[in-house]
Amino acid sequence: MRCCHCSSGGYIVFKECRCGFFIYNYFFPIILISYVYFNAAAVASEVHEDRVQLKLNPRLCTLSKDEPRCKALVRISWTSEAKQSLCLKVVNRPDVNHCWKQNSQGNFGIQLAFKNDLTVELRDSRTQSLVASKTISIVREGEYRHRRRHPWDLFQ
Amino acid sequence: MRSYITAISYTIILATCFTTQATSAAENCDPSHDRCIEIGQLNLELAVGLGAKTNPIEDSDPIPLIFVPQISYYGERFFMENLDLGYTLFESVNHSINLIATPDYDRVYFHRNSLQNIFMGNTLKARESTEESLIMDEQPSAHSSRDRNITYLAGLDWTYGLDHFSMQLSYLHEITGEHHGNEFRFATAVPLVQDLWVLSATIGATWKSAEAVDYYYGEKGIYSPSSAVNPFLKLGYETQLNNKWRLKIFGHYERLDNEIVNSPIVSKNEVLSLFIGGIYSF
């Protein structure tokens, strides 16, 4: 492609100059896309720095028909790329409260008994805003019995 | 009346004995086994296919088997299977003894829109019927001088099962005050091929007391039958197509006792039922 010098921008100039045509059709869009991409990446990077990974163990509690509630040692761990001050809370359990000051990770274990799904939250210690949340689900085993055999019936 | 009281007395004594020693109905039931059913769940199935059941009553059309709903519900001990209601007195892995209440299925031959017919399958016929034919369907047979009401039988039911082999014996007494008759139902199903699909043969018989036979097939002053035994043979094929559908094919042949065949309103000595279709589990 042969390129010429263009001293000014604008539509008319672009019509008269192949270089202007190139700038109008390729250069500006590339610049625009690049700007949007790098700007978005920068924002994403900021978010990523604050992202907290919360892990619970166990994630599931299976109850047999004779067990009214789940009793388990719940191990909670979190990691963050940036140091943060976070507090651990359990929904509907105000007695459970543990905080970390300016840490990038934390571990906590507690013996709990619960009848319904248990939701563990990490909240910012200053603003109380929710940073991460995970739930331990309860699965109750269904009770089964033998179906009546009925060979006399037409459809059995 | 005396036999009725005796039957009820025996039933109550047996019920008391078995209930006090009964094992939990839920014990030893592996959920992966197709004979195990979840307690407290309403189960609905719909058989969709082509089929019919012949009607031995003179000048009567066959009963179509097109859409046949199957409803069941099992509680800890109470259960419902279509129109059958039951209470499990005793249950082990292979045996169960139940108190049951079940309708008398002879009525389906006389009333096309009978409740029993819903689970035998007459829905398409009913929808296709003209107003005139629906009125006719509601009436008893033209050859009969009286109506046959819905009757319920109640009694004891014993079943034995091992994989696809099963045996059933029921003693029933009519409790709706129509004829006070009795019925024995016996059937045993034997798997001929048991693989990814099951081919099974069932043989059985129904014994009906004179009162029961007379209620349906007798004509006052003309014909008064005695007790009857109807043996039957069924061949069935079933295979699971996917988690919702299974294919079902069966042929059921029932030979009617001469006490029924000799009735002036009966023109056939057999009842043949054929069906091919899919059963969908909701």
Side-chain angles (χ1 to χ4, degrees):
Chain A
M1 180 187 293
R2 190 172 64 87
C3 192
C4 60
H5 175 74
C6 298
S7 57
S8 62
Y11 182 69
I12 295 170
V13 175
F14 294 152
K15 273 184 76 176
E16 294 171 352
C17 176
R18 282 185 63 84
C19 183
F21 177 79
F22 169 75
I23 290 170
Y24 176 68
N25 283 283
Y26 297 101
F27 184 69
F28 276 179
I30 288 169
I31 291 296
L32 185 64
I33 290 167
S34 300
Y35 173 78
V36 170
Y37 173 77
F38 286 113
N39 202 33
V43 171
S45 175
E46 285 171 20
V47 171
H48 188 252
E49 280 180 7
D50 290 332
R51 188 183 296 163
V52 173
Q53 286 207 325
L54 174 64
K55 288 182 181 175
L56 297 183
N57 189 12
R59 292 301 313 276
L60 197 69
C61 180
T62 305
L63 293 178
S64 68
K65 59 174 182 174
D66 301 322
E67 291 177 299
R69 64 187 65 204
C70 183
K71 292 175 186 173
L73 173 63
V74 179
R75 295 181 190 279
I76 302 145
S77 63
W78 63 270
T79 56
S80 171
E81 290 182 12
K83 288 188 175 181
Q84 298 190 62
S85 294
L86 299 174
C87 284
L88 180 144
K89 293 180 184 299
V90 176
V91 173
N92 295 326
R93 290 291 299 266
D95 55 310
V96 181
N97 190 12
H98 186 84
C99 295
W100 292 267
K101 277 188 181 177
Q102 289 300 308
N103 273 322
S104 59
Q105 63 175 16
N107 291 293
F108 187 67
I110 185 169
Q111 186 77 35
L112 289 173
F114 46 101
K115 285 194 282 189
N116 301 310
D117 291 357
L118 189 85
T119 302
V120 175
E121 295 177 344
L122 278 177
R123 289 182 177 271
D124 186 287
S125 61
R126 188 172 55 84
T127 62
Q128 291 298 308
S129 60
L130 185 66
V131 175
S133 171
K134 284 273 172 69
T135 298
I136 301 173
S137 301
I138 285 187
V139 177
R140 286 186 168 80
E141 282 184 352
E143 293 181 61
Y144 289 81
R145 60 171 292 189
H146 296 97
R147 188 172 192 169
R148 177 187 174 221
R149 292 172 187 268
H150 197 12
W152 192 88
D153 185 78
L154 208 56
F155 273 83
Q156 282 206 19
Chain B
M1 187 65 185
R2 192 178 155 206
S3 65
Y4 178 67
I5 294 168
T6 309
I8 294 289
S9 304
Y10 277 126
T11 303
I12 291 169
I13 292 166
L14 277 169
T16 309
C17 292
F18 281 119
T19 306
T20 51
Q21 296 183 359
T23 56
S24 167
E27 275 181 17
N28 303 318
C29 200
D30 178 3
S32 63
H33 197 278
D34 62 354
R35 298 302 312 177
C36 284
I37 193 162
E38 191 169 358
I39 291 172
Q41 284 282 101
L42 184 69
N43 303 288
L44 181 63
E45 291 185 331
L46 181 65
V48 184
L50 283 173
K53 177 175 182 160
T54 61
N55 193 334
I57 305 301
E58 194 168 358
D59 294 334
S60 297
D61 293 331
I63 299 160
L65 303 170
I66 309 293
F67 297 107
V68 187
Q70 305 282 295
I71 302 168
S72 67
Y73 174 87
Y74 281 75
E76 285 279 350
R77 292 194 177 277
F78 168 82
F79 64 84
M80 179 197 80
E81 286 265 6
N82 297 333
L83 297 176
D84 289 5
L85 302 173
Y87 183 85
T88 302
L89 301 174
F90 171 82
E91 183 176 275
S92 67
V93 175
N94 301 119
H95 297 271
S96 78
I97 295 174
N98 310 293
L99 278 175
I100 58 162
T102 179
D104 199 334
Y105 283 96
D106 287 83
R107 190 172 186 268
V108 301
Y109 302 131
F110 298 89
H111 293 263
R112 180 57 57 81
N113 293 330
S114 167
L115 194 59
Q116 294 97 312
N117 247 333
I118 293 171
F119 299 100
M120 284 288 189
N122 78 328
T123 46
L124 187 67
K125 187 75 178 178
R127 285 186 191 129
E128 286 179 345
S129 298
T130 61
E131 189 177 337
E132 185 183 355
S133 64
L134 275 172
I135 292 167
M136 286 298 291
D137 284 345
E138 289 292 345
Q139 301 303 316
S141 164
H143 296 271
S144 176
S145 57
R146 61 188 170 81
D147 204 354
R148 274 92 176 162
N149 295 323
I150 292 174
T151 57
Y152 249 82
L153 308 163
L156 274 174
D157 170 82
W158 167 74
T159 64
Y160 172 80
L162 183 64
D163 291 332
H164 289 279
F165 174 84
S166 60
M167 193 181 288
Q168 181 179 33
L169 181 64
S170 309
Y171 167 72
L172 304 160
H173 182 83
E174 197 270 323
I175 56 167
T176 38
E178 292 292 332
H179 57 71
H180 304 293
N182 300 312
E183 205 172 295
F184 272 108
R185 294 175 182 176
F186 169 75
T188 184
V190 182
L192 303 175
V193 179
Q194 193 172 327
D195 198 1
L196 291 174
W197 47 278
V198 178
L199 179 67
S200 63
T202 307
I203 56 166
T206 309
W207 174 87
K208 295 169 185 291
S209 69
E211 297 89 344
V213 179
D214 186 55
Y215 182 74
Y216 288 103
Y217 305 101
E219 285 295 323
K220 200 171 183 180
I222 300 172
Y223 184 65
S224 185
S226 58
S227 62
V229 178
N230 297 339
F232 73 83
L233 171 68
K234 184 173 83 172
L235 279 175
Y237 169 91
E238 188 171 307
T239 186
Q240 195 77 34
L241 298 174
N242 55 46
N243 63 339
K244 288 288 184 185
W245 283 97
R246 61 182 201 273
L247 176 68
K248 180 111 183 167
I249 303 169
F250 68 76
H252 182 279
Y253 174 84
E254 184 179 12
R255 181 78 163 83
L256 299 178
D257 191 290
N258 284 339
E259 291 296 319
I260 294 173
V261 176
N262 292 337
S263 168
I265 63 168
V266 173
S267 62
K268 298 182 187 74
N269 63 359
E270 64 193 17
V271 177
L272 184 64
S273 306
L274 294 170
F275 178 83
I276 177 167
I279 297 179
Y280 182 83
S281 299
F282 291 92

